[in-house]
Amino acid sequence: MSCVFCDIAADKLPAEIVWRSQHAMAFLDSRPLFPGHVLLIPAGHVATLADLPAAQVGPLFQAVQKLESAVERALAAEGTFIAVNNRIGQSVPHLHIHIVPRRKGDGLKGFFWPRHAYDSDEHLRETAEKIWRAL
């Protein structure tokens, strides 16, 4: 199976690379929310965050820290939005972390979808207990 991000990591497809290490790389999103929207990927194919080996989680998120700070400084942004989609909303089935420069009044309203409240306090507690049991 072909993976666009694996091909970018292997230099088989062009991308505007802003950072690279032995295990990860970052490049500009070709369909950015705003200029400076960076995608950070593990160099080897990993489909979702849950599939990322534990030993790689820390180094990958240390790269997120480095990149979000650089994006803010480079673009004089007031902050950043960091996001990961797992399967749903994942346009390329390869783990990628979005690092998006933000400014007050930029038009993005928190999350990009409507929020759905819990039906009741009991629903809230039942949901928390389901997650707790799964852990």
Side-chain angles (χ1 to χ4, degrees), residues 8 14 54 61-63 72 90 97 131 134:
I8 289 172
F61 278 87
Q62 288 172 336
E72 283 186 20
Q90 194 177 20
I97 301 165
I131 296 169

Side-chain angles (χ1 to χ4, degrees), residues 19 52 100:
W19 179 85
L52 187 67
V100 181

Side-chain angles (χ1 to χ4, degrees), residues 33-34 81 100-115:
L33 291 171
F34 299 111
F81 176 73
V100 181
R102 296 290 315 270
R103 290 176 182 77
K104 287 186 179 189
D106 63 15
L108 296 183
K109 302 290 183 200
F111 291 103
F112 311 122
W113 48 84
R115 295 177 185 244

Side-chain angles (χ1 to χ4, degrees), residues 29-52:
D29 191 316
S30 63
R31 298 180 315 140
L33 291 171
F34 299 111
H37 180 166
V38 171
L39 299 178
L40 172 65
I41 64 168
H45 188 79
V46 176
T48 68
L49 185 57
D51 299 323
L52 187 67

Side-chain angles (χ1 to χ4, degrees), residues 9-71:
D11 294 321
K12 293 179 184 176
L13 285 176
E16 194 63 39
I17 297 168
V18 298
W19 179 85
R20 185 189 298 254
S21 75
Q22 181 180 359
H23 301 291
M25 67 181 300
F27 51 91
L28 294 181
D29 191 316
S30 63
R31 298 180 315 140
L33 291 171
F34 299 111
H37 180 166
V38 171
L39 299 178
L40 172 65
I41 64 168
H45 188 79
V46 176
T48 68
L49 185 57
D51 299 323
L52 187 67
Q56 292 180 31
V57 173
L60 190 67
F61 278 87
Q62 288 172 336
V64 171
Q65 287 179 312
K66 177 185 290 198
L67 287 159
E68 69 89 17
S69 179
V71 165

Side-chain angles (χ1 to χ4, degrees), residues 124-134:
L124 175 102
R125 285 189 296 276
E126 287 172 354
T127 303
E129 188 173 323
K130 286 179 184 178
I131 296 169
W132 178 80
R133 285 183 184 170

